Amino acid sequence: MSHKDLKKELRNICFFWASRAQTIMKARLKGAQTGRNLLKKKSDALSMRFRQILRKIIETKTKMGEVMREAAFSLAEAKFTAGDFSTTVIQNVNKAQVKVRAKKDNVAGVTLPVFEHYQEGGDSYELTGLARGGEQLSRLKRNYARAVELLVELASLQVGGANWMRENERSFTG
């Protein structure tokens, strides 16, 4: 084999390994781009959900002020018409009628806790206020039931938002 043939063979070997290295680098680049795009989609989904949570928290807090105002007014109204019924209510309490259940919501791989309220059992105070103030007492129950519903919704939103912040902080710092 002549010197020229050796040089030509060496050039072919070098070209083969250079093109092989280029192919490997292209595959790595493609993998890195895919990974970045997936993380970007996850980040966008979480950011959108967080904005929804913040918007809903503001709406719920605004509603909460109105509902609590109505509930306090209906309590004063009921006490005025039916007299002091608090001892009757306190003595007849056996177990909670409204309960809270915890669930999990999965948003882009991040689990967020969600609370929901549910009614268990019948209304044990159906006949309370039958003699006087029955309408005001039923309005009082409705208003406070709505207040409890909003409080559970608000707790769910605030815990979900706090978990999102913790998850986001964790992904940025470590």
Side-chain angles (χ1 to χ4, degrees):
M1 209 180 240
S2 71
H3 185 65
K4 284 184 179 182
D5 289 338
L6 278 176
K7 274 186 160 181
K8 189 176 182 182
E9 187 68 27
L10 186 61
R11 234 181 293 136
N12 285 342
I13 291 173
C14 288
F15 176 76
F16 170 76
W17 285 111
S19 66
R20 174 92 173 138
Q22 183 182 15
T23 305
I24 291 171
M25 288 305 290
K26 281 183 180 179
R28 282 184 181 173
L29 178 63
K30 178 81 170 144
Q33 287 172 339
T34 303
R36 182 193 174 280
N37 290 339
L38 288 174
L39 287 174
K40 179 78 171 126
K41 283 181 184 178
K42 179 179 179 177
S43 173
D44 290 346
L46 285 172
S47 295
M48 187 175 74
R49 175 64 184 219
F50 185 64
R51 276 187 249 117
Q52 286 175 344
I53 287 173
L54 286 178
R55 193 175 313 117
K56 201 149 185 170
I57 284 175
I58 292 169
E59 289 172 12
T60 306
K61 282 187 176 185
T62 304
K63 281 184 200 174
M64 194 68 208
E66 295 168 9
V67 168
M68 288 303 287
R69 190 176 324 111
E70 285 178 31
F73 184 71
S74 61
L75 177 63
E77 218 175 29
K79 279 189 177 181
F80 179 74
T81 49
D84 189 22
F85 51 87
S86 59
T87 55
T88 309
V89 172
I90 291 172
Q91 288 173 357
N92 293 328
V93 172
N94 293 332
K95 62 179 185 172
Q97 289 179 353
V98 177
K99 296 187 177 184
V100 177
R101 179 183 307 138
K103 290 185 173 182
K104 293 186 180 194
D105 186 18
N106 190 353
V107 179
V110 178
T111 57
L112 301 174
V114 177
F115 301 125
E116 68 176 23
H117 77 288
Y118 63 99
Q119 190 95 15
E120 189 173 274
D123 188 8
S124 59
Y125 302 109
E126 273 184 69
L127 303 177
T128 306
L130 203 55
R132 57 190 177 132
E135 186 181 331
Q136 284 80 13
L137 283 174
S138 63
R139 190 178 316 130
L140 173 69
K141 285 190 277 188
R142 276 195 316 269
N143 286 341
Y144 273 99
R146 178 73 177 132
V148 168
E149 181 182 325
L150 281 174
L151 279 172
V152 170
E153 184 180 339
L154 187 61
S156 179
L157 291 170
Q158 287 182 333
V159 168
N163 273 6
W164 183 85
M165 290 293 284
R166 252 193 315 277
E167 183 68 29
N168 215 9
E169 189 176 286
R170 200 177 305 135
S171 68
F172 287 138
T173 58

